[in-house]
Amino acid sequence: MVTYALIAVCCLTFLLGPASGFSTSHGTGVELLAAQTAYFEQWGVVPRELWGGSPQELITPLTALFVHGNWLHLLGNMLFLYVFGAMAEERMGKLSFALFYLAAGVLALLAYAAAHAGSEQTLVGASGAISGVLGAFLRLFPRARVTSLFPFLFFLPLRFPAWAVLLFWFALQWLAARTAGDRPGVAYLAHVVGFSLGFLYAWARYRRAVRVKNAAGPSELRSPGGPPPDPR
């Protein structure tokens, strides 16, 4: 229920905002671009301004979790929340999962903002929170299997243990974070922090991992992206 509610809120927020281009109330052309810039600056995290302490800026680490920059950004994040969120929610419980999701996302954004305190690049998206879900999933269900389609192998479906897929993804994020700095693009450091927090929380709170059957059903996870592409 919580996973689907989060997906619904993110999708609705995107569709009603200027980034989707659906609403003509935001104008067209240059006017639309100006509306999008103002929208992201209002609801996203700008590290250099965050530490100024204004009430509006202090809530942006929370509001930024529900704002996405474009269709690919939204769909990529929601795919991973859909694939990995439901089982994590079932194990944690609805309220605990909701609080965990929000806390992981906020802390991941704050960590990035602290590391790049002088940056003026706006941060938006649920990827910090979803990275936390991936980290928790690795601890809770390491032996669950993920069916993935690899573009460079002609979209051949292959099945891997969740631990192999998620550790591979984490390694890519960590390597990218070491070289990305605060350049425009994906905030890889937020992914690394969110994933680490999620794994550590699940390890401390749920000491025993759950073994799941490899039959079709809730225990069989399917993702069309191979090892998870970068959730922004």
Side-chain angles (χ1 to χ4, degrees):
M1 182 179 296
V2 174
T3 297
Y4 297 151
L6 289 170
I7 292 173
V9 171
C10 287
C11 290
L12 185 61
T13 300
F14 179 78
L15 292 174
L16 295 178
S20 68
F22 270 1
S23 176
T24 58
S25 63
H26 301 292
T28 59
V30 175
E31 186 180 3
L32 177 60
L33 292 176
Q36 291 173 348
T37 300
Y39 177 75
F40 295 140
E41 290 180 349
Q42 179 179 3
W43 302 112
V45 175
V46 181
R48 186 172 181 177
E49 298 177 2
L50 176 64
W51 309 114
S54 69
Q56 172 62 35
E57 293 299 327
L58 291 177
I59 68 169
T60 56
L62 179 61
T63 59
L65 299 180
F66 300 95
V67 177
H68 291 82
N70 53 51
W71 282 98
L72 183 61
H73 188 194
L74 173 73
L75 295 177
N77 275 349
M78 295 305 100
L79 170 65
F80 288 105
L81 181 55
Y82 172 78
V83 171
F84 294 98
M87 288 179 66
E89 177 188 342
E90 183 177 356
R91 178 72 193 280
M92 293 181 180
K94 293 178 175 59
L95 179 59
S96 294
F97 178 76
L99 295 175
F100 160 76
Y101 177 92
L102 296 176
V106 168
L107 291 174
L109 287 174
L110 288 175
Y112 183 93
H116 304 284
S119 174
E120 296 183 351
Q121 299 297 326
T122 306
L123 303 175
V124 296
S127 59
I130 295 171
S131 295
V133 173
L134 299 184
F137 191 96
L138 174 62
R139 169 58 185 167
L140 297 175
F141 306 102
R143 298 187 181 184
R145 301 186 71 84
V146 180
T147 300
S148 302
L149 303 179
F150 287 82
F152 55 86
L153 292 177
F154 304 100
F155 294 95
L156 179 68
L158 299 174
R159 301 185 70 211
F160 296 94
W163 67 264
V165 174
L166 294 176
L167 286 179
F168 177 72
W169 177 85
F170 178 77
L172 291 179
Q173 306 308 300
W174 181 76
L175 290 173
R178 295 192 61 183
T179 59
D182 62 352
R183 295 194 301 271
V186 180
Y188 294 104
L189 179 60
H191 301 174
V192 172
V193 172
F195 187 95
S196 301
L197 290 174
F199 181 84
L200 291 174
Y201 171 79
W203 180 82
R205 177 67 176 81
Y206 308 94
R207 289 304 182 107
R208 296 185 60 184
V210 173
R211 299 185 64 179
V212 295
K213 297 180 180 180
N214 289 327
S219 61
E220 181 172 318
L221 307 177
R222 300 183 181 275
S223 166
D230 301 331
R232 311 261 292 201

